[in-house]
Short mmCIF file of all heavy atoms in Angstrom, two decimals:
data_model
loop_
_atom_site.label_atom_id
_atom_site.label_comp_id
_atom_site.label_asym_id
_atom_site.label_seq_id
_atom_site.Cartn_x
_atom_site.Cartn_y
_atom_site.Cartn_z
N GLU A 53 170.23 121.01 37.79
CA GLU A 53 169.66 122.27 37.40
C GLU A 53 170.04 122.68 35.87
O GLU A 53 170.38 123.72 35.59
CB GLU A 53 170.00 123.33 38.18
CG GLU A 53 169.51 123.32 39.70
CD GLU A 53 169.83 124.46 40.58
OE1 GLU A 53 170.92 125.13 40.36
OE2 GLU A 53 169.07 124.71 41.47
N GLY A 54 170.08 121.56 35.07
CA GLY A 54 170.38 121.77 33.59
C GLY A 54 171.84 121.83 33.32
O GLY A 54 172.14 122.12 32.16
N SER A 55 172.69 121.77 34.32
CA SER A 55 174.13 121.95 34.12
C SER A 55 174.84 120.59 34.33
O SER A 55 174.35 119.81 35.09
CB SER A 55 174.72 123.00 35.07
OG SER A 55 174.28 124.26 34.79
N SER A 56 175.95 120.49 33.73
CA SER A 56 176.69 119.20 33.81
C SER A 56 178.17 119.63 34.14
O SER A 56 178.76 120.37 33.50
CB SER A 56 176.84 118.55 32.45
OG SER A 56 177.59 117.40 32.48
N ILE A 57 178.51 119.07 35.40
CA ILE A 57 179.84 119.40 36.01
C ILE A 57 180.68 118.18 36.05
O ILE A 57 180.14 117.15 36.58
CB ILE A 57 179.68 120.00 37.40
CG1 ILE A 57 178.89 121.33 37.37
CG2 ILE A 57 181.13 120.38 38.00
CD1 ILE A 57 178.52 121.85 38.76
N ARG A 58 181.88 118.29 35.60
CA ARG A 58 182.74 117.06 35.63
C ARG A 58 184.08 117.43 36.27
O ARG A 58 184.57 118.50 36.04
CB ARG A 58 183.03 116.53 34.19
CG ARG A 58 181.83 116.04 33.49
CD ARG A 58 181.31 114.71 34.29
NE ARG A 58 180.09 114.27 33.52
CZ ARG A 58 178.87 114.54 33.80
NH1 ARG A 58 178.61 115.45 34.80
NH2 ARG A 58 177.83 114.05 33.17
N LYS A 59 184.68 116.56 37.04
CA LYS A 59 185.88 116.67 37.80
C LYS A 59 186.74 115.37 37.68
O LYS A 59 186.22 114.37 37.75
CB LYS A 59 185.57 116.98 39.31
CG LYS A 59 186.67 116.86 40.22
CD LYS A 59 186.21 116.70 41.68
CE LYS A 59 185.90 115.32 41.95
NZ LYS A 59 185.48 114.98 43.33
N GLY A 60 187.99 115.57 37.34
CA GLY A 60 188.73 114.35 37.27
C GLY A 60 190.22 114.64 36.61
O GLY A 60 190.66 115.75 36.64
N ALA A 61 190.86 113.52 36.14
CA ALA A 61 192.19 113.63 35.64
C ALA A 61 192.10 114.69 34.44
O ALA A 61 191.16 114.75 33.71
CB ALA A 61 192.68 112.29 35.13
N VAL A 62 193.21 115.47 34.32
CA VAL A 62 193.21 116.56 33.33
C VAL A 62 192.93 116.04 31.95
O VAL A 62 192.11 116.59 31.22
CB VAL A 62 194.59 117.28 33.47
CG1 VAL A 62 194.60 118.31 32.35
CG2 VAL A 62 194.65 117.98 34.79
N ASP A 63 193.71 115.01 31.45
CA ASP A 63 193.47 114.57 30.19
C ASP A 63 192.06 114.07 29.91
O ASP A 63 191.46 114.15 28.87
CB ASP A 63 194.49 113.50 29.80
CG ASP A 63 194.49 112.34 30.75
OD1 ASP A 63 194.05 112.42 31.80
OD2 ASP A 63 194.92 111.22 30.30
N ALA A 64 191.47 113.41 30.94
CA ALA A 64 190.11 112.84 30.83
C ALA A 64 189.06 113.96 30.74
O ALA A 64 188.14 113.86 29.83
CB ALA A 64 189.74 111.88 32.03
N VAL A 65 189.30 114.99 31.44
CA VAL A 65 188.32 116.06 31.40
C VAL A 65 188.34 116.82 30.06
O VAL A 65 187.44 117.28 29.45
CB VAL A 65 188.53 117.01 32.61
CG1 VAL A 65 187.78 118.32 32.39
CG2 VAL A 65 188.15 116.40 33.92
N LEU A 66 189.72 117.06 29.60
CA LEU A 66 189.86 117.67 28.25
C LEU A 66 189.20 116.94 27.16
O LEU A 66 188.51 117.55 26.28
CB LEU A 66 191.31 117.89 28.01
CG LEU A 66 192.05 118.95 28.86
CD1 LEU A 66 193.48 118.92 28.57
CD2 LEU A 66 191.56 120.27 28.76
N THR A 67 189.35 115.60 27.25
CA THR A 67 188.75 114.67 26.20
C THR A 67 187.21 114.86 26.26
O THR A 67 186.52 114.95 25.25
CB THR A 67 189.14 113.24 26.42
OG1 THR A 67 190.56 113.10 26.35
CG2 THR A 67 188.46 112.39 25.43
N ALA A 68 186.67 114.89 27.54
CA ALA A 68 185.22 114.98 27.70
C ALA A 68 184.75 116.30 27.26
O ALA A 68 183.66 116.38 26.56
CB ALA A 68 184.85 114.75 29.15
N VAL A 69 185.45 117.45 27.48
CA VAL A 69 185.02 118.75 27.09
C VAL A 69 185.05 118.77 25.48
O VAL A 69 184.11 119.37 24.93
CB VAL A 69 185.95 119.87 27.65
CG1 VAL A 69 185.76 121.20 26.96
CG2 VAL A 69 185.76 119.91 29.14
N HIS A 70 186.10 118.21 24.95
CA HIS A 70 186.05 118.19 23.45
C HIS A 70 184.95 117.41 22.82
O HIS A 70 184.30 117.89 21.84
CB HIS A 70 187.48 117.55 23.01
CG HIS A 70 187.65 117.54 21.53
ND1 HIS A 70 187.05 116.51 20.73
CD2 HIS A 70 188.29 118.49 20.69
CE1 HIS A 70 187.43 116.77 19.39
NE2 HIS A 70 188.02 117.94 19.39
N ALA A 71 184.65 116.24 23.51
CA ALA A 71 183.57 115.51 23.01
C ALA A 71 182.15 116.10 23.13
O ALA A 71 181.27 115.89 22.36
CB ALA A 71 183.54 114.15 23.68
N SER A 72 182.04 117.00 24.22
CA SER A 72 180.75 117.65 24.47
C SER A 72 180.32 118.65 23.36
O SER A 72 179.23 119.01 23.24
CB SER A 72 180.82 118.20 25.84
OG SER A 72 181.65 119.35 25.88
N GLY A 73 181.34 119.01 22.60
CA GLY A 73 181.06 120.05 21.55
C GLY A 73 180.75 119.37 20.29
O GLY A 73 180.68 120.12 19.25
N THR A 74 180.56 118.06 20.08
CA THR A 74 180.31 117.42 18.92
C THR A 74 179.28 116.42 19.02
O THR A 74 178.87 116.00 20.15
CB THR A 74 181.59 116.65 18.38
OG1 THR A 74 181.93 115.66 19.33
CG2 THR A 74 182.81 117.60 18.14
N ALA A 75 178.72 115.91 17.94
CA ALA A 75 177.60 114.94 17.87
C ALA A 75 177.75 114.09 16.60
O ALA A 75 178.28 114.55 15.61
CB ALA A 75 176.23 115.62 18.00
N VAL A 76 177.24 112.85 16.70
CA VAL A 76 177.31 111.96 15.60
C VAL A 76 175.98 112.00 14.80
O VAL A 76 174.91 111.76 15.44
CB VAL A 76 177.59 110.56 15.89
CG1 VAL A 76 177.63 109.67 14.75
CG2 VAL A 76 178.93 110.57 16.72
N THR A 77 175.99 112.35 13.50
CA THR A 77 174.75 112.37 12.77
C THR A 77 174.34 110.96 12.42
O THR A 77 175.06 110.10 12.47
CB THR A 77 174.99 113.19 11.49
OG1 THR A 77 175.91 112.48 10.63
CG2 THR A 77 175.61 114.56 11.71
N PRO A 78 173.03 110.80 11.89
CA PRO A 78 172.57 109.53 11.48
C PRO A 78 173.39 108.87 10.39
O PRO A 78 173.54 107.63 10.26
CB PRO A 78 171.16 109.84 10.99
CG PRO A 78 170.78 111.15 11.65
CD PRO A 78 171.94 111.87 11.79
N THR A 79 174.15 109.71 9.68
CA THR A 79 175.04 109.07 8.60
C THR A 79 176.36 108.66 9.09
O THR A 79 177.19 108.10 8.38
CB THR A 79 175.25 110.01 7.42
OG1 THR A 79 175.93 111.25 7.95
CG2 THR A 79 173.85 110.49 6.84
N GLY A 80 176.67 109.01 10.42
CA GLY A 80 177.86 108.64 11.02
C GLY A 80 178.95 109.74 11.10
O GLY A 80 180.03 109.52 11.51
N ALA A 81 178.67 110.87 10.54
CA ALA A 81 179.56 111.91 10.41
C ALA A 81 179.53 112.73 11.69
O ALA A 81 178.54 112.80 12.45
CB ALA A 81 179.22 112.91 9.28
N VAL A 82 180.74 113.27 12.13
CA VAL A 82 180.83 114.04 13.38
C VAL A 82 180.49 115.49 13.02
O VAL A 82 181.00 116.15 12.12
CB VAL A 82 182.26 114.03 13.88
CG1 VAL A 82 182.40 114.89 15.14
CG2 VAL A 82 182.61 112.59 14.21
N GLN A 83 179.48 116.04 13.76
CA GLN A 83 178.94 117.41 13.48
C GLN A 83 179.33 118.30 14.70
O GLN A 83 179.08 117.90 15.82
CB GLN A 83 177.45 117.39 13.25
CG GLN A 83 176.89 118.76 13.13
CD GLN A 83 175.37 118.70 13.04
OE1 GLN A 83 174.76 117.67 13.02
NE2 GLN A 83 174.71 119.81 12.88
N THR A 84 180.00 119.52 14.39
CA THR A 84 180.17 120.39 15.54
C THR A 84 178.97 121.10 15.90
O THR A 84 178.36 121.75 14.97
CB THR A 84 181.36 121.41 15.04
OG1 THR A 84 182.49 120.70 14.77
CG2 THR A 84 181.61 122.40 16.19
N LEU A 85 178.60 121.02 17.19
CA LEU A 85 177.35 121.63 17.73
C LEU A 85 177.61 123.16 18.06
O LEU A 85 176.70 123.94 17.99
CB LEU A 85 176.84 120.89 18.83
CG LEU A 85 176.46 119.43 18.54
CD1 LEU A 85 175.88 118.76 19.83
CD2 LEU A 85 175.45 119.27 17.39
N ARG A 86 178.79 123.39 18.62
CA ARG A 86 179.14 124.69 18.99
C ARG A 86 180.68 124.85 19.02
O ARG A 86 181.39 123.79 18.95
CB ARG A 86 178.62 125.00 20.43
CG ARG A 86 179.07 124.12 21.54
CD ARG A 86 178.60 124.56 22.85
NE ARG A 86 179.11 123.78 23.98
CZ ARG A 86 178.47 122.66 24.42
NH1 ARG A 86 177.39 122.29 23.74
NH2 ARG A 86 178.96 121.96 25.44
N PRO A 87 181.25 125.92 19.18
CA PRO A 87 182.71 126.13 19.04
C PRO A 87 183.33 125.29 20.23
O PRO A 87 182.87 125.27 21.30
CB PRO A 87 182.96 127.53 19.27
CG PRO A 87 181.66 128.18 18.79
CD PRO A 87 180.60 127.26 19.22
N LEU A 88 184.46 124.70 19.86
CA LEU A 88 185.21 123.93 20.82
C LEU A 88 185.82 124.88 21.86
O LEU A 88 186.00 126.11 21.54
CB LEU A 88 186.28 123.03 20.15
CG LEU A 88 185.81 121.99 19.12
CD1 LEU A 88 187.01 121.27 18.46
CD2 LEU A 88 184.98 120.97 19.78
N VAL A 89 186.18 124.27 22.98
CA VAL A 89 186.86 125.09 23.95
C VAL A 89 188.18 125.52 23.38
O VAL A 89 188.82 124.96 22.66
CB VAL A 89 187.17 124.33 25.30
CG1 VAL A 89 188.19 123.16 25.01
CG2 VAL A 89 187.72 125.16 26.34
N SER A 90 188.53 126.92 23.79
CA SER A 90 189.61 127.47 23.18
C SER A 90 190.91 126.79 23.47
O SER A 90 191.08 126.31 24.55
CB SER A 90 189.71 128.94 23.56
OG SER A 90 190.09 129.01 24.89
N MET A 91 191.84 126.80 22.54
CA MET A 91 193.25 126.24 22.69
C MET A 91 193.88 127.01 23.80
O MET A 91 194.70 126.48 24.64
CB MET A 91 193.96 126.31 21.45
CG MET A 91 193.48 125.29 20.46
SD MET A 91 193.50 123.62 21.00
CE MET A 91 195.20 123.38 21.29
N GLU A 92 193.59 128.25 24.02
CA GLU A 92 194.26 129.10 25.05
C GLU A 92 193.88 128.49 26.48
O GLU A 92 194.67 128.41 27.33
CB GLU A 92 193.77 130.51 24.91
CG GLU A 92 194.54 131.39 26.02
CD GLU A 92 194.02 132.83 25.92
OE1 GLU A 92 193.35 133.21 24.94
OE2 GLU A 92 194.42 133.65 26.82
N ALA A 93 192.57 128.18 26.61
CA ALA A 93 192.08 127.61 27.90
C ALA A 93 192.79 126.25 28.19
O ALA A 93 193.09 125.95 29.23
CB ALA A 93 190.53 127.52 27.84
N ILE A 94 192.87 125.43 27.11
CA ILE A 94 193.46 124.15 27.25
C ILE A 94 194.93 124.30 27.69
O ILE A 94 195.45 123.57 28.52
CB ILE A 94 193.36 123.40 25.94
CG1 ILE A 94 191.92 123.02 25.62
CG2 ILE A 94 194.26 122.02 25.91
CD1 ILE A 94 191.64 122.30 24.31
N ARG A 95 195.64 125.24 26.97
CA ARG A 95 197.07 125.38 27.30
C ARG A 95 197.21 125.94 28.72
O ARG A 95 198.11 125.53 29.47
CB ARG A 95 197.69 126.38 26.40
CG ARG A 95 198.05 125.66 24.91
CD ARG A 95 198.96 126.61 24.23
NE ARG A 95 198.27 127.85 23.80
CZ ARG A 95 197.67 128.07 22.77
NH1 ARG A 95 197.55 127.06 21.78
NH2 ARG A 95 197.11 129.17 22.43
N GLU A 96 196.28 126.84 29.16
CA GLU A 96 196.39 127.33 30.44
C GLU A 96 196.08 126.21 31.55
O GLU A 96 196.84 126.20 32.53
CB GLU A 96 195.42 128.48 30.71
CG GLU A 96 195.61 129.27 31.97
CD GLU A 96 194.68 130.37 32.17
OE1 GLU A 96 193.96 130.69 31.20
OE2 GLU A 96 194.61 131.04 33.22
N VAL A 97 195.16 125.33 31.33
CA VAL A 97 194.89 124.26 32.32
C VAL A 97 196.10 123.38 32.30
O VAL A 97 196.47 122.91 33.38
CB VAL A 97 193.68 123.47 31.77
CG1 VAL A 97 193.51 122.13 32.59
CG2 VAL A 97 192.39 124.38 32.14
#
């Protein structure tokens, strides 16, 4: 239904969440699509 849910090892999920907020442009640069998950949420997890 248009949503993506992931479940797994904590470090793997954190890496996936971080990657989901970025994209690679045609020139190879990493572009931020939206704000990354907050550091507070990462520390709490």
Side-chain angles (χ1 to χ4, degrees):
E53 295 182 332
S55 293
S56 177
I57 303 173
R58 295 294 181 267
K59 168 197 79 177
V62 173
D63 58 336
V65 171
L66 290 177
T67 300
V69 167
H70 181 274
S72 69
T74 62
V76 179
T77 66
T79 62
V82 176
Q83 176 185 359
T84 301
L85 301 179
R86 61 176 181 271
L88 299 176
V89 64
S90 70
M91 290 302 298
E92 182 182 353
I94 292 175
R95 284 194 294 267
E96 189 175 356
V97 165

